């Protein structure tokens, strides 16, 4: 079977509505007015969507990108709307140099218990409300052996277009779940055998290296708060251990996704 | 002595020319048409400029930011042009929510030998042509104990406004130098006692952890190439050792500044 290619040259064609005015606020799926669609941009991210639990509804792209994706699309049921770049730009509302988009409905969210199943290292985020940081955390998690991500309160939507793009599509692949009760769900994580490490700049905390070296055989949850405020004191108290990155020139000097990456890396280094 | 505060309410005032039309292309100091000025934005970055080798020519800011900076400005000779946010927006060409700017001329560039002096860990960059990545690398270097940065060919200008901003001002504080001859200047780095570690995704390379653990007593230069192409083969051959980050899901999954941060961190972890 090969993909169903449909040529379109009218930007007003209603079959392209999944991709219309992508920059307008109501396209943010996390807002009440949002349409709830997940959008993948670019060949690599579309390929990751095809490999994920997200099923494409439609694709819109140039002939060139169709060529690059051909073998990936063999068993895809969704139509590929083939259009000139200028037509695409009129539909989405800006010039899109990645040349291809795919839309997907949101599947049912996973539960915390579901994403913990089989996981050995997870990240738990609180108040990470910046889509770029969130996307970077997914990318770092995928690269550095993190099996799942749990969201506490105040986190941004990982399926928002910018988060998906910055994550290089890993927001669609790394399993995540929203805590139903926060921070009480940390008990659920602990009951599943995880050691809860809370990242903090507090100089009295253990270093990452000490902490990770001492618990190589345990399952580990790395708790990270937003850049600036960090984790709430309530969440810190619900953790097992406070850990810090030794810093040379002040504690403002690492981005939250970078700090998380160092923790993921140290975990992988200590318990390969 | 306290700072010389001058109220301005005419956006056309020529004394504000250092800050005019900041978004226009000719403000890029790395372009031939650039004016060569370095711009610091926001209270924190202005404070870092004041602590750096860059001497402010002028400041432009709101009354509120003047209050926040008052004690930092005590011994500053440059004038503080105090203006309403709307006047500032007209001058710079966009609404600036950081509320304060400082300009500085470029001092003479440091030489490679100058920045190596006294350094124990340095980063060497090749082809890092993205201002955000470059800024992030400076921020990570400052936080993770890197003493200096050397630029090979193809790197962006660390003094460009966006790089300075993303670096949180550390582009003004971490010493850097441009190689005069590339990659020949790597010999100069080696002659100064540095062990040259080239970052690569090559699975045949040593892991970062192995490499850093084996050379804790040596000076270390971490060589990083651009995201995508990485270091050139010529530069790889001029290095002492190829090192890799063990990755769980494909080698595209780390941003260049994040990869550099992991190397800096492992260095600090192995040789505190």
């Amino acid at each position: 079977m090969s993909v169903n290619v449909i040529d379109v040259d009218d930007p007003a064609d209603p079959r392209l509505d999944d991709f219309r005015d992508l920059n307008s606020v109501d396209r943010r799926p996390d807002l009440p007015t949002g349409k709830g669609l997940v959008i993948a941009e670019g060949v690599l991210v579309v390929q990751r969507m095809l490999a994920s639990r997200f099923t494409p509804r439609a694709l819109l792209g140039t002939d060139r990108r169709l060529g690059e994706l051909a073998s990936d699309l063999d068993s895809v049921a969704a139509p590929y709307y083939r259009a000139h770049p200028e037509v695409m730009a009129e539909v989405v509302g800006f010039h899109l140099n990645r040349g291809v988009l795919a839309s997907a409905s949101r599947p049912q969210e996973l539960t915390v218990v579901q994403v913990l199943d089989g996981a050995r290292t997870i990240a738990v985020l609180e108040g990470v409300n910046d889509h770029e940081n969130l996307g970077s955390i997914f990318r770092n998690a995928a690269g550095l052996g993190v099996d799942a991500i749990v969201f506490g309160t105040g986190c941004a939507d990982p399926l928002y277009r910018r988060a998906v793009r910055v994550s290089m599509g890993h927001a669609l692949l790394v399993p995540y779940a929203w805590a139903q009760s926060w921070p009480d769900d940390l008990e659920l994580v602990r009951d599943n055998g995880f050691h809860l490490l809370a990242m903090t700049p507090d100089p009295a905390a253990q270093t990452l290296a000490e902490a990770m070296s001492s618990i190589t055989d345990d399952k580990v949850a790395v708790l990270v708060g937003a850049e600036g405020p960090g984790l709430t004191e309530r969440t810190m108290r619900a953790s097992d251990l406070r850990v810090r990155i030794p810093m040379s020139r002040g504690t403002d000097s690492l981005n939250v996704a970078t700090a998380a990456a160092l923790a993921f890396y140290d975990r992988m280094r200590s318990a390969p």
Side-chain angles (χ1 to χ4, degrees), chain A residues 84-112:
Chain A
H84 284 289
E86 311 83 70
V87 174
M88 286 184 66
E90 274 204 60
V91 175
V92 303
F94 54 92
H95 182 71
L96 189 92
N97 53 22
R98 288 181 180 78
V100 63
L101 297 161
S103 64
S105 301
R106 298 182 157 229
Q108 186 158 13
E109 297 280 5
L110 303 170
T111 67
V112 172

Side-chain angles (χ1 to χ4, degrees), chain A residues 199 208 222 224 245 254-264:
Chain A
M199 303 268 294
L208 259 185
V222 175
V224 185
I245 297 163
L254 291 179
N255 162 277
V256 58
T258 306
L262 298 184
F264 303 161

Side-chain angles (χ1 to χ4, degrees), chain A residues 19-20 56 70 111 156 167 190 204:
Chain A
F19 307 105
R20 202 166 299 288
T111 67
S167 81
R190 185 184 285 114

Side-chain angles (χ1 to χ4, degrees), chain A residues 215-237:
Chain A
I215 50 174
T216 54
D217 294 335
D218 289 337
K219 298 192 220 173
V220 165
V222 175
L223 278 58
V224 185
E227 212 165 325
L231 292 167
T232 60
E233 187 52 36
R234 196 167 158 225
T235 297
M236 293 270 216
R237 276 199 302 271

Side-chain angles (χ1 to χ4, degrees), chain A residues 38-222:
Chain A
V38 180
I39 303 289
E41 297 166 85
V43 168
L44 182 68
V45 178
V46 168
Q47 285 168 329
R48 293 206 166 123
M49 178 183 273
L50 296 173
S52 77
R53 67 193 169 99
F54 296 81
T55 308
R57 291 158 49 107
L59 296 99
L60 168 63
T62 61
D63 185 58
R64 181 169 156 208
R65 298 305 181 211
L66 175 60
E68 292 170 26
L69 281 165
S71 63
D72 303 288
L73 295 173
D74 258 358
S75 58
V76 169
Y80 188 103
Y81 295 108
R82 179 166 55 186
H84 284 289
E86 311 83 70
V87 174
M88 286 184 66
E90 274 204 60
V91 175
V92 303
F94 54 92
H95 182 71
L96 189 92
N97 53 22
R98 288 181 180 78
V100 63
L101 297 161
S103 64
S105 301
R106 298 182 157 229
Q108 186 158 13
E109 297 280 5
L110 303 170
T111 67
V112 172
V113 171
Q114 280 177 317
V115 304
L116 295 182
D117 184 38
R120 197 168 149 263
T121 305
I122 68 165
V124 180
L125 311 183
E126 180 183 47
V128 179
N129 58 8
D130 176 276
H131 288 106
E132 291 203 25
N133 284 336
L134 201 62
S136 297
I137 289 173
F138 271 89
R139 185 180 181 188
N140 296 340
L144 297 167
V146 172
D147 303 305
I149 296 180
V150 171
F151 294 118
T153 48
C155 291
D157 178 1
L159 301 184
Y160 181 51
R161 190 163 60 89
R162 189 192 297 184
V164 171
R165 185 177 68 226
V166 173
S167 81
M168 308 288 277
H170 290 294
L172 309 178
L173 286 169
V174 177
Y176 71 83
W178 294 86
Q180 292 305 300
S181 174
W182 184 256
D184 304 345
D185 273 6
L186 287 174
E187 284 304 318
L188 197 58
V189 176
R190 185 184 285 114
D191 289 347
N192 275 266
F194 286 82
H195 211 77
L196 309 183
L197 304 194
M199 303 268 294
T200 168
D202 184 350
Q206 261 196 290
T207 65
L208 259 185
E210 290 165 346
M212 291 295 185
S213 304
S214 68
I215 50 174
T216 54
D217 294 335
D218 289 337
K219 298 192 220 173
V220 165
V222 175

